[in-house]
Amino acid sequence: MAPSNTGKDKAPVEEEEDILQAVVLADSFNSRFGPLTMDLPRCLLPVCNTTLLDWTFEALSSAGVQQIFVFCCSHVKLIREAINESRWAQPGSGLKITPIFSREARSVGDALREIDAKQIITQDFVLATGDIVSNIRIDEVVKEHKERRKRSKDPIMTMVVREVGPRDRPRPGGDATVVVMDAESSECVHYEYVPHGKSDFELPAEVITAHRDLDVRIDLLDCGIDICTPDVPALFSENFDYQELRKDFVRGVLTSDLLTKTIFCHVAKKGYASRVRNTRTYGSISKDIIARRTFPLVPDDNHLGGESYELRRGYVYVAKTGVSLSRTCTIGTHTIIGPHSTVQNDAYIVSSVIGQGCEIGEGSVIKDSYIWAGASIGPNCSIEESIVGNDVKIQAGSVIRRGCLIGKDTVLGPSANLSEFQQVSRAAPRDDDDDWTDNGSVADGTETTETSDASDVPVESDMVPILGSKPKAYLWPVKEDGEEEDEEDVETSQALRLGRLGDTGSDIEVLESDLSEIGSGDSSPMGSPFSMASASSAALGGPIPDLDLESASDFASECRQSLERAYEEGHTIDNAGIELKTLRMATNVPLVRVADCVVSFLVGKIALADAPAAQKANVKTVLERWGPLLTSIGWTDAVETVLMLQKACAQSPPHQKVFASVLASLYNEDIVEYEDLKRWYTKVLEMKKQGLEPHDILATNLENCMQQALPLMQQIHAAEAEDDDTEEDDDDESEGDEKKVPVATVKTQAGGAKGKPATESDDDEEEQGEGTEEEESD
C-alpha cells in the first residue's frame, strides 16, 4: 500500500512541473526615453508597429510558457487594457496572463521582493524584462537549467547572453561588461561592469586557482532573460541591499562566502535576442527586424500587431490595408509603412518606420526616423534620426535634427527648428511633483497624473524660432554632462550619451587603453609586495587598477574595527571569520583585501620586546591564537600571505625586526610550507630585477625584511635536506614529527649561518638552548 500511495502523491507534482511560469518586469525604472514615456510605459512603446509587450509575450509563448505574471508599478490601466485587447488574451492563445500592481516598487529588487511575498512562484521560472525582442529557443535553455538542477541544487540562475558581432560590440568610449566563465561548465565565476576610462578589472585570485580554464568575455550581450529558481526572489527578500539584478544580485551571489549558490550562463550562438535599453538600441533593433535578422519574427509573416504587410524589394514593407502612396513619392530601402497611412507627392522616406494612420506631407524628407501612430508631418519638413510620438503634429517647413524625441500630442508650429538631441513634450512637468526628476523628465516607472498643458503657457519670443509660432509644446532643458545618469544606474554619463539615437560619440575622448583592449596593456612594474599581492586580483596582463582610496579606506576601517572587537572580546575564530565574510559580502571587495587587513592587524598586535626570547613568545601568542583566522575566511594563498607580511612589516619600521620570527612561526603553524617560501623568494627576486627605488624608504624596509629571511630560508633548506637523508632510518611513529624542523631550532641555526655578525652570538646561543628544550619537550 505504501508504494501505491506514494505514487498517487507524486502524480499532481508531475502535472504541476509541466506548467512553465514567467515573470515579466514591465517597468524599466529609468528615464532614458524622456517625453515618450510620460504617457506610455516602455513596454507599450511600438517597435516596427508592434508593442514591446507583444514581442516579449511572443518570445515566452514560443518557449512553452503557460502562465505569465506582468509586474508593473505605473500605467497599470494602459497595460491591463493592452493585455485584454491583445490576441494573447484569447482563450486559444495558451497563455494565462495576470497583471500584478505595486505602487511602492522602485527597483527590480523591490519587484522581486513583492513577487516573493505573494508566494505565486512554485517552481523554476523565466524572468524577463518587458522590452525584449527574441527568437532564441528559451525552452532549450529551460531544459538545460533543469538538467543542471537534477545534478545539484546549487545552481539558482541561468543568464541568457548572446555572442555579438563587431557591429554590436561596445563602441570606443563606452562601457563594457566583463563575464568570466568556467570554460567547461559555463558557470559564471565573475561579473563586472567596467566603466569608460578603466582599462582593466579585478579578478580574485581564488577564482583563478579554483578553475583550470577560464573564458573572459567582453563580446556578450545581456538578453534580459534569466531562468531562475524560487530561491532568487527569496534571496532578494533576505537582502534588502539588492536593488539591481546584475550589479547587486549576481555580484553578491558570486562574491558571497556564506552562500553556496551558483550562476550559469547560456551563450546563444544562434538566434536573436536584445533589449530596448535606450533610444539607440530602439533604432538598432528596429533595423534588425526590418533586415530579417529576427526571422521568423518579421513584419510580412504573421505580424504580431495583427496587420498584413507586403515585402517589396530593398526590405520595404507596406501594409496591405488603407495605405496611400503618391506616384511621385520615394520609399527608400529598409522602411515600413503602416496601415491607413498616406504619403503625398515628392515625399522621401528611407530607413524609417511609419506607424498606423500617419500623414506625410508633400516634399517632406524622413531619414532613419520612427513616426508613431496618428502623427502628421506637414509639407516640406525634414526629420532625421528622431522619434516622433503618437498623434504629434509637425507643421510645414519644420526641421527636426538627429536625436530629437517628441512626446505624445505635441504640436510644433510652422518652421519649427529643433537642434540635435532636443526633447519636446505637450505637457510641462510641475515643479512640485516629486515624481519628476530635476531635469524635467518623468521616470518610466512613475505614472504622472498632474501636468500643466504647455498650450496654456504663453510662448516666449526666443522660443518661436525653436518651436514655431503658436505651438503646443514644452521644450525640455538641455542636459549637461553627467545629468543623464540615473540615480541608481551604474552606467557612466558617456555611456548613456552613446545610448542616444543619432549620437556617434565623435567628440568623446577615447583612451589609448580603451575597453576593447582589455588584457592587452603592458604590465606595470611590480615595485613592492603590495603590487604583487594586488596582481592576483588585477587585470590579466594589464596594468594594476588604482584602488579608490575613499572606498578602500572605509573598508579597511570597518575591517579593523571588526578585528578589534574580536580581539578584545575574545571571539572564537569561527565567529570572527563569519563577521569578516559578512562584511566582505556587503562591500563586494576581493578576498585578498580581507586577508591583507588580517595580516596587517596581526602584525600590529605583536608586542615588541628587546629580549629575543620574549619577542619569540609574543609572536607565538598572537599567531597561535589568531593565525587560523586566515584559513577561516577562505584564504589559502600562502605566497601572497608572505608578501602581505613583508609589506606590513616594511610599513611599520618598529616591526621590521619581527619579520623573520613571524615567518618562522607561520612555517611552524603549517600556514606556509617550505615550497611556498621558495616561491615567495623567487617572486621577490623577480621584483628586484624590475627595480626597487634605492632611495625609497619603503623599498629599503622591504629589502631589510628580505635580508632577515635569507638565513632562515637557508637553514630550513639545510634542515629539510638533512631530514630527507635520515628519513629512512626513522620509526613510523616519529616520521611525521621529525619531517618538519621546529621553528626555534631553525631560527637558532639560522642565526649561526654565514653573514651573521659576531656580536649576535650570545643571543644565538640563548635561542639555541631554548630550541633544544623545545625539541626535547616535543
Side-chain angles (χ1 to χ4, degrees), residues 186-202:
S186 296
E187 178 186 352
C188 181
V189 296
H190 186 75
Y191 185 95
E192 185 164 343
Y193 181 83
V194 182
H196 165 72
K198 194 176 180 184
S199 60
D200 44 30
F201 66 96
E202 293 187 347

Side-chain angles (χ1 to χ4, degrees), residues 255-427:
T255 58
S256 173
D257 293 322
L258 301 178
L259 297 173
T260 59
K261 305 302 182 181
T262 54
I263 296 175
F264 286 78
C265 290
H266 174 86
V267 182
K269 298 182 180 180
K270 296 181 179 179
Y272 182 91
S274 287
R275 282 190 62 193
V276 179
R277 298 176 179 274
N278 46 47
T279 54
R280 175 175 172 258
T281 55
Y282 177 92
S284 63
I285 291 173
S286 297
K287 293 183 184 302
D288 287 342
I289 295 171
I290 294 173
R292 308 179 76 79
R293 291 186 65 193
T294 60
F295 187 85
L297 303 179
V298 289
D300 62 306
D301 185 9
N302 194 24
H303 186 260
L304 301 180
E307 300 294 337
S308 297
Y309 285 84
E310 175 190 353
L311 174 61
R312 301 182 180 181
R313 180 179 298 179
Y315 297 109
V316 174
Y317 301 85
V318 179
K320 297 180 179 180
T321 306
V323 174
S324 175
L325 301 179
S326 169
R327 292 185 178 182
T328 58
C329 74
T330 301
I331 307 299
T333 61
H334 296 85
T335 298
I336 296 179
I337 306 296
H340 306 290
S341 292
T342 301
V343 182
Q344 297 183 3
N345 296 338
D346 298 321
Y348 177 71
I349 304 172
V350 62
S351 297
S352 300
V353 177
I354 308 300
Q356 179 177 350
C358 294
E359 183 174 349
I360 311 301
E362 181 177 347
S364 290
V365 177
I366 300 176
K367 297 180 179 180
D368 298 299
S369 296
Y370 306 90
I371 314 300
W372 291 358
S376 174
I377 312 299
N380 300 313
C381 291
S382 174
I383 303 176
E384 179 184 3
E385 280 193 274
S386 297
I387 302 178
V388 177
N390 293 327
D391 301 315
V392 170
K393 184 177 182 179
I394 299 176
Q395 299 185 45
S398 296
V399 177
I400 313 298
R401 292 177 174 82
R402 65 188 177 99
C404 290
L405 305 178
I406 304 177
K408 180 181 179 181
D409 292 329
T410 300
V411 177
L412 296 181
S415 302
N417 193 333
L418 296 185
S419 301
E420 295 178 349
F421 307 110
Q422 287 191 318
Q423 300 182 10
V424 182
S425 62
R426 170 69 178 255

